[in-house]
Amino acid sequence: KQEVTQIPAALSVPEGENLVLNCSFTDSAIYNLQWFRQDPGKGLTSLLLIQSSQREQTSGRLNASLDKSSGRSTLYIAASQPGDSATYLCAAKGDSGNTPLVFGKGTRLSVIA
Amino acid sequence: KAGVTQTPRYLIKTRGQQVTLSCSPISGHRSVSWYQQTPGQGLQFLFEYFSETQRNKGNFPGRFSGRQFSNSRSEMNVSTLELGDSALYLCASSLISLLRGETEAFFGQGTRLTVV
């Protein structure tokens, strides 16, 4: 059974700092891995999707990497801004594609101005 | 292009009542999944529908049910509400293509259900 872990649960950084959020998964047979952002009381906003055959994806100041052999993904945020403050969730989908997303519990990020 | 729309946004119900939540997926998306989010358990999968058929079901009691219509809109129903059903219910839609398989999931804003 796939389990997804995100450490740390909470992170506070000063504005302008580069930071890395971690996501680990127990079953390396994944179809894809997706990073989301969630603001308080809101739904999830998709940030990046990495297919199992890819090593990384980039969008603006965000870069996500995937290492299936070690069961890890990282989300790199460059030059953090107060508007980046939110909870970041990663979710892994099993390799058949016909399986649900399994979510970590998220990392709550606070960027201090 | 409109995103995933969930209605209503907020609901307050009494224990023992039943509730129906609605989800309209992104146009062209035929896969709709439902998740329950609570502070203690995080996001937990309820069920997924594709072309009006339930493809997957999570580990929830039979009080939780769903369906999908021919226009891909989906509803979930919870009967005999319990206090522990209070949660944010999220719906996601995704595109299934022969070439690319299942693409990224897009979520709605959720329905906040409070059971008193």
Side-chain angles (χ1 to χ4, degrees):
Chain A
K1 177 188 170 189
Q2 180 73 275
E3 292 183 3
V4 178
T5 304
Q6 292 185 252
I7 295 173
L11 180 65
S12 184
V13 300
E15 182 179 4
E17 191 162 297
N18 302 326
L19 60 102
V20 174
L21 305 181
N22 296 298
C23 171
S24 61
F25 45 94
T26 55
D27 186 350
S28 62
I30 62 169
Y31 184 76
N32 62 41
L33 188 138
Q34 200 166 349
W35 282 92
F36 297 89
R37 167 189 173 135
Q38 185 175 33
D39 293 290
K42 305 288 188 182
L44 276 61
T45 300
S46 178
L47 297 174
L48 288 164
L49 171 74
I50 310 177
Q51 300 289 359
S52 63
S53 59
Q54 297 174 322
R55 295 298 300 271
E56 65 179 307
Q57 282 285 343
T58 298
S59 176
R61 295 183 294 109
L62 305 179
N63 175 278
S65 69
L66 176 64
D67 183 344
K68 288 199 304 178
S69 61
S70 67
R72 295 185 62 183
S73 177
T74 61
L75 179 67
Y76 174 83
I77 302 177
S80 58
Q81 304 170 357
D84 294 330
S85 298
T87 296
Y88 290 80
L89 295 140
C90 71
K93 179 177 271 290
D95 68 354
S96 74
N98 187 24
T99 55
L101 288 168
V102 177
F103 282 85
K105 294 204 172 177
T107 294
R108 188 171 67 252
L109 174 66
S110 297
V111 180
I112 311 301
Chain B
K1 194 175 188 180
V4 179
T5 304
Q6 291 189 246
T7 56
R9 290 292 312 279
Y10 304 93
L11 268 177
I12 300 176
K13 290 287 188 178
T14 304
R15 248 183 326 176
Q17 288 187 311
Q18 75 165 14
V19 68
T20 299
L21 312 181
S22 179
C23 172
S24 293
I26 291 172
S27 177
H29 287 194
R30 291 161 62 193
S31 171
V32 174
S33 299
W34 289 89
Y35 293 82
Q36 180 196 66
Q37 186 177 32
T38 58
Q41 299 297 318
L43 274 142
Q44 293 187 290
F45 172 72
L46 282 156
F47 27 66
E48 181 204 358
Y49 288 88
F50 177 74
S51 292
E52 303 178 65
T53 301
Q54 188 180 85
R55 288 209 302 183
N56 274 303
K57 187 177 191 307
N59 189 26
F60 277 81
R63 301 185 296 108
F64 291 81
S65 63
R67 59 178 175 168
Q68 186 179 35
F69 301 96
S70 59
N71 62 357
S72 294
R73 189 178 71 86
S74 178
E75 290 181 346
M76 68 163 282
N77 183 278
V78 188
S79 62
T80 320
L81 284 166
E82 300 177 359
L83 295 179
D85 297 333
S86 295
L88 180 66
Y89 289 88
L90 292 161
C91 162
S93 77
S94 58
L95 178 67
I96 313 281
S97 75
L98 289 175
L99 183 63
R100 298 176 58 198
E102 189 162 350
T103 61
E104 67 187 297
F106 294 90
F107 280 76
Q109 289 298 297
T111 295
R112 171 74 62 186
L113 173 64
T114 302
V115 182
V116 298

